[in-house]
Amino acid sequence: MVTVTNKQVIFKQVMPTGLPKKDVTTQLGSVELDIDNVDLAGGVLTRNIACSLDPTMRNRMKGNINYFSPPYQVGKPVTAIGLAEIYRSEMEEFKKGDIVAVWDLAIEEWSVRSKESTVTFRKFDPLPGLSITTYLGAAGMTGMTAYMSIKEIIGDLKPGNTMFVTGAAGAVGQMVVQIARQAGVKVIASAGSDQKVKYLEQELGVERAFNYKTADFNKELAAFGAQTNGINYYYDNVGGEQLEAYINNAARYGVIVGCGYISGYNAEKPEDVHYPKNLFNIVTKELKYQGFIVSSFLPKWMARFLQEIPPMLAEGKIKVSEDVTFGIDGAEDAFTRLFTGETEGKVTVLFDTERAEHFNVKPRKGGNL
Amino acid sequence: MVTVTNKQVIFKQVMPTGLPKKDVTTQLGSVELDIDNVDLAGGVLTRNIACSLDPTMRNRMKGNINYFSPPYQVGKPVTAIGLAEIYRSEMEEFKKGDIVAVWDLAIEEWSVRSKESTVTFRKFDPLPGLSITTYLGAAGMTGMTAYMSIKEIIGDLKPGNTMFVTGAAGAVGQMVVQIARQAGVKVIASAGSDQKVKYLEQELGVERAFNYKTADFNKELAAFGAQTNGINYYYDNVGGEQLEAYINNAARYGVIVGCGYISGYNAEKPEDVHYPKNLFNIVTKELKYQGFIVSSFLPKWMARFLQEIPPMLAEGKIKVSEDVTFGIDGAEDAFTRLFTGETEGKVTVLFDTERAEHFNVKPRKGGNL
């Protein structure tokens, strides 16, 4: 009988506004688990490897707000997109050692899953040489989000056209920027620190980047857009004032991919959220502003994604920047960093730190190892 | 030598905000014209029949605001979409008696047009029995706007789906409502008077109509949308608070056809214009909000429009409500009525009142004859 202490991040309190707080909104907890004998009732026991942390999770902490994903339940572990290894199985589909991507992984080190709940599992074989956490990012949902939303809403990118990308140093943003550059699109990108701006210009090769906290958006966008009579595409992770600035500087028939509205997620009061005061231009410039949730389009675009993006990653045509926190104890702090701008690319948490080398995972530079 | 007094509506003063004012923004004027001898320099002389009046013209009175149509020039006649008869021609393409639809007709009784400027003419043969002013409305730009924007942005309407239409008693709105009903779509419509609401429900057969000045939008839309888990389509002529209410009550994957933003056209101060404070839902509900100007899509959809809509008009499947002002003297008042809600369908002005019977035109009920 092997009993382990199964550490978990528990959702503690509904938090309608403001930044999530460690020990208030969520809390670290643990349960003892006899991993050899726990009753699986026909399901599986997973040894959880890692999970992704995404701003969208913030909205599931707000109680019932009619969000497209259900609210987290007080007293239960927070869930996220994750990776796991099958440790024991009473199902034919899974055997010990299988690696699965899990849509709704509980943030805990071990999980018992009913047979029915494994509908959210997708088995895959990690490529040797790639960090396994890449399958939570560039080769996983992050990459799919960037790739599929561009395909679905913009269609084929036109070389020579211009694109504005906000949250460009974030996980999705970095992928968008590089996919656009590979297609010959000229990119102006914004981020929240001078260091990120430098990274975007020097490492990712965007034509122009600016710090949205200090720059004059309208001036930046007007100058950049002059080459194409306004900016053709806007990949919007942020909303608010930068969305307004894009609309002011959009080209006729401009397209806005609405991937997020992070500027509004943590507002203390509804009136603190900025909404564009120039929607009239959507009509007069014949813009298209379309929202997108990647899960809606997985079947439609998965085959083309797998055909195009992983080879680019393998060939180094697309660079990956990862921000891996080692150990579940750091998950809450890592989640908070999503909103304070201190992240360094795709944010993930490696639970299974003992096997970091086996899975090719390296910790974040400012990391806690 | 026949000299006529050519009455004109002259643009007098740039008017950035507020309602346009007769004798301030525009002014009636006239010039003497020798219609038999005036030099055509290779062009044509047209005897102008009628013109359309549209809210979009308001934006051309605001000076240079980077609008998609150029601003009106002080001292020159206001232009509009119109109909004319060729009176004299020095061009091979046109002969006396030809009827033409003109994209940029000066609001005056006679016009000398250079050869080059006739690029905006389109010759057509009016169907006997239809009022010629219908070619400015249901069989003309109004009908094309409604039909082509639905085709371009929504695609094929799905029977059983729900649609919200604002400005539904207006020219475009009435066409939209009827095209949707013909396709089996359930329609909730709004207008600015109880009389219009009654007309929409009793004459145009919408399932539900409400007076936006007195109704609780959110309640109305929530109740109507319950049958389809939110409202599937929104045809937006108005913007502002009703746009916000739609976004609150939109179905997943809802589509907004952005045809106008009339609630903002005459604001005294920019801060008086209402902009939706819930754009976050564009992302989470995966909505599409797309603006549209009909001139962008004429080549693409003209053949299908002519094939589908005029026969429906001829068969009475689509009803036409026209608001024809007789005589150019009434043009300015008619234009003002566009913004005060006192119109009775598609607003046009018949210049050539002597031939009203010949052209099958009847005046508005509250009209000035």
Side-chain angles (χ1 to χ4, degrees):
Chain A
M1 180 176 118
V2 179
T3 297
V4 299
T5 300
N6 184 22
K7 286 189 188 167
Q8 307 174 309
V9 175
I10 303 292
F11 184 54
K12 200 177 165 196
Q13 189 181 293
V14 170
M15 186 90 180
T17 61
L19 272 183
K21 285 191 192 67
K22 192 175 161 180
D23 295 333
V24 175
T25 320
T26 54
Q27 189 166 43
L28 204 65
S30 68
V31 288
E32 300 300 299
L33 186 71
D34 177 351
I35 55 177
D36 289 330
N37 297 299
V38 61
D39 181 18
L40 304 185
V44 299
L45 173 67
T46 59
R47 182 176 178 181
N48 300 335
I49 301 168
C51 80
S52 171
L53 294 179
D54 299 286
T56 179
M57 294 166 63
R58 175 66 188 87
N59 295 302
R60 303 178 67 183
M61 300 177 178
K62 294 181 179 176
N64 194 351
I65 56 165
N66 267 320
Y67 197 58
F68 66 93
S69 297
Y72 292 132
Q73 289 182 276
V74 171
K76 296 268 174 75
V78 172
T79 63
I81 295 168
L83 305 173
E85 186 182 70
I86 306 294
Y87 187 77
R88 281 172 51 210
S89 172
E90 295 177 357
M91 295 175 65
E92 232 169 59
E93 299 92 315
F94 301 107
K95 60 174 201 301
K96 187 177 168 73
D98 281 350
I99 303 290
V100 288
V102 181
W103 190 253
D104 58 345
L105 189 79
I107 302 187
E108 60 186 357
E109 294 169 324
W110 299 81
S111 298
V112 175
R113 301 278 299 219
S114 70
K115 186 181 156 94
E116 295 70 33
S117 79
T118 61
V119 68
T120 65
F121 286 23
R122 182 173 58 84
K123 248 196 307 198
F124 72 103
D125 295 310
L127 278 180
L130 273 184
S131 166
I132 201 163
T133 52
T134 306
Y135 288 91
L136 293 171
M141 294 309 299
T142 310
M144 291 173 200
T145 298
Y147 177 87
M148 295 181 185
S149 56
I150 288 172
K151 281 292 177 205
E152 181 67 28
I153 296 173
I154 298 176
D156 290 330
L157 296 168
K158 205 175 141 197
N161 268 2
T162 46
M163 183 188 281
F164 175 38
V165 183
T166 48
V172 172
Q174 289 196 24
M175 287 299 289
V176 169
V177 159
Q178 295 182 86
I179 290 170
R181 292 294 300 123
Q182 288 292 326
V185 167
K186 294 169 192 161
V187 174
I188 181 167
S190 83
S193 77
D194 292 344
Q195 195 184 348
K196 288 177 182 176
V197 165
K198 201 170 143 187
Y199 178 77
L200 287 163
E201 287 189 334
Q202 296 185 350
E203 300 296 322
L204 301 190
V206 307
E207 275 74 7
R208 176 80 188 159
F210 64 84
N211 182 340
Y212 74 86
K213 293 175 180 168
T214 53
D216 179 339
F217 313 156
N218 275 290
K219 214 167 146 185
E220 286 285 348
L221 298 181
F224 194 80
Q227 62 188 315
T228 49
N229 205 9
I231 298 176
N232 305 104
Y233 315 124
Y234 173 37
Y235 200 98
D236 185 17
N237 286 304
V238 167
E241 292 175 346
Q242 294 189 79
L243 173 56
E244 184 171 271
Y246 171 73
I247 293 173
N248 281 339
N249 292 287
R252 185 92 178 254
Y253 310 119
V255 179
I256 303 167
V257 180
C259 187
Y261 209 102
I262 197 173
S263 67
Y265 292 174
N266 290 304
E268 290 289 340
K269 291 170 293 192
E271 57 269 34
D272 290 347
V273 183
H274 185 90
Y275 291 106
K277 296 187 171 54
N278 55 358
L279 290 189
F280 174 51
N281 290 289
I282 299 244
V283 179
T284 56
K285 292 185 178 179
E286 304 187 68
L287 308 183
K288 177 168 78 167
Y289 176 21
Q290 187 169 349
F292 180 87
I293 295 167
V294 67
S295 50
S296 291
F297 297 98
L298 294 176
K300 181 169 174 187
W301 293 109
M302 186 65 87
R304 283 192 63 178
F305 172 79
L306 293 175
Q307 193 184 328
E308 288 188 37
I309 299 301
M312 281 185 175
L313 288 165
E315 293 165 33
K317 285 185 180 169
I318 295 181
K319 292 183 187 176
V320 179
S321 164
E322 300 201 19
D323 179 327
V324 188
T325 291
F326 272 43
I328 203 166
D329 303 49
E332 291 164 278
D333 285 336
F335 186 66
T336 308
R337 281 202 305 275
L338 284 178
F339 300 100
T340 56
E342 299 161 72
T343 55
E344 300 161 2
K346 174 64 197 169
V347 176
T348 59
V349 180
L350 182 73
F351 305 157
D352 191 353
T353 53
E354 282 172 30
R355 294 194 291 173
E357 200 171 336
H358 170 71
F359 289 127
N360 288 302
V361 187
K362 289 181 181 56
R364 67 193 300 264
K365 286 172 203 151
N368 55 356
L369 256 201
Chain B
M1 179 176 120
V2 179
T3 297
V4 298
T5 300
N6 184 23
K7 284 189 189 166
Q8 307 173 309
V9 174
I10 303 292
F11 184 55
K12 201 177 162 196
Q13 190 182 294
V14 170
M15 185 91 180
T17 61
L19 272 182
K21 286 190 191 68
K22 192 175 160 178
D23 296 334
V24 176
T25 320
T26 56
Q27 188 166 45
L28 205 65
S30 69
V31 289
E32 300 299 301
L33 187 71
D34 178 351
I35 55 176
D36 289 330
N37 298 301
V38 61
D39 180 19
L40 303 186
V44 299
L45 174 66
T46 60
R47 183 176 177 182
N48 301 335
I49 300 168
C51 80
S52 171
L53 294 179
D54 299 285
T56 178
M57 293 164 64
R58 176 66 189 88
N59 294 304
R60 302 178 66 183
M61 301 177 175
K62 294 181 179 176
N64 194 353
I65 56 165
N66 268 320
Y67 196 58
F68 67 94
S69 298
Y72 292 133
Q73 289 183 275
V74 171
K76 297 268 173 76
V78 172
T79 63
I81 295 166
L83 306 172
E85 187 181 71
I86 305 294
Y87 187 78
R88 280 171 52 209
S89 172
E90 294 177 357
M91 294 175 66
E92 233 169 58
E93 299 91 316
F94 301 106
K95 61 175 199 302
K96 188 177 166 72
D98 282 350
I99 303 290
V100 288
V102 180
W103 188 254
D104 60 344
L105 189 78
I107 302 186
E108 61 185 356
E109 293 169 325
W110 300 80
S111 298
V112 176
R113 300 279 299 221
S114 70
K115 185 181 156 94
E116 295 71 33
S117 79
T118 62
V119 69
T120 64
F121 286 23
R122 182 173 58 85
K123 248 197 307 197
F124 72 102
D125 296 309
L127 278 181
L130 272 183
S131 166
I132 201 162
T133 51
T134 305
Y135 288 92
L136 293 170
M141 292 310 299
T142 310
M144 290 174 202
T145 298
Y147 177 88
M148 295 180 185
S149 56
I150 288 172
K151 283 289 178 206
E152 181 69 27
I153 296 173
I154 299 177
D156 291 331
L157 295 168
K158 204 174 141 198
N161 268 3
T162 46
M163 183 188 282
F164 175 38
V165 183
T166 48
V172 172
Q174 290 195 26
M175 287 298 290
V176 169
V177 159
Q178 295 183 85
I179 289 169
R181 293 293 302 122
Q182 289 290 326
V185 168
K186 295 169 191 161
V187 175
I188 181 166
S190 82
S193 77
D194 293 345
Q195 196 184 347
K196 288 177 181 175
V197 166
K198 200 170 143 188
Y199 178 78
L200 286 162
E201 288 189 334
Q202 297 185 351
E203 300 296 322
L204 301 191
V206 306
E207 275 74 8
R208 175 80 188 159
F210 63 85
N211 182 340
Y212 73 87
K213 292 175 180 168
T214 54
D216 179 339
F217 313 156
N218 275 291
K219 213 167 146 185
E220 286 285 349
L221 297 181
F224 193 80
Q227 63 188 313
T228 48
N229 205 9
I231 297 177
N232 305 104
Y233 315 124
Y234 173 37
Y235 200 99
D236 185 18
N237 287 303
V238 166
E241 291 174 347
Q242 294 189 80
L243 173 57
E244 183 171 270
Y246 171 73
I247 293 173
N248 281 338
N249 293 286
R252 185 91 178 254
Y253 310 118
V255 179
I256 303 168
V257 181
C259 187
Y261 210 102
I262 197 173
S263 67
Y265 292 174
N266 291 304
E268 289 289 341
K269 289 170 295 192
E271 56 269 35
D272 290 346
V273 183
H274 185 89
Y275 290 106
K277 295 186 170 56
N278 55 358
L279 289 190
F280 175 49
N281 289 287
I282 299 243
V283 179
T284 56
K285 292 184 177 179
E286 303 187 69
L287 308 183
K288 178 168 78 167
Y289 176 20
Q290 187 169 351
F292 179 88
I293 294 165
V294 66
S295 50
S296 291
F297 297 98
L298 293 174
K300 181 168 175 187
W301 293 109
M302 186 65 88
R304 283 192 63 178
F305 172 79
L306 293 173
Q307 192 185 328
E308 288 189 37
I309 299 300
M312 283 186 174
L313 288 165
E315 292 165 31
K317 284 185 181 169
I318 295 181
K319 292 183 186 177
V320 177
S321 164
E322 301 203 16
D323 180 326
V324 188
T325 291
F326 272 45
I328 203 166
D329 301 48
E332 291 164 278
D333 286 335
F335 186 66
T336 308
R337 280 202 307 277
L338 284 177
F339 300 100
T340 57
E342 299 161 73
T343 54
E344 299 161 1
K346 174 64 198 170
V347 176
T348 58
V349 180
L350 182 74
F351 305 157
D352 192 353
T353 53
E354 282 171 29
R355 295 194 291 173
E357 200 170 337
H358 169 72
F359 289 127
N360 288 302
V361 186
K362 289 180 183 55
R364 68 194 298 265
K365 287 170 201 151
N368 55 357
L369 253 200

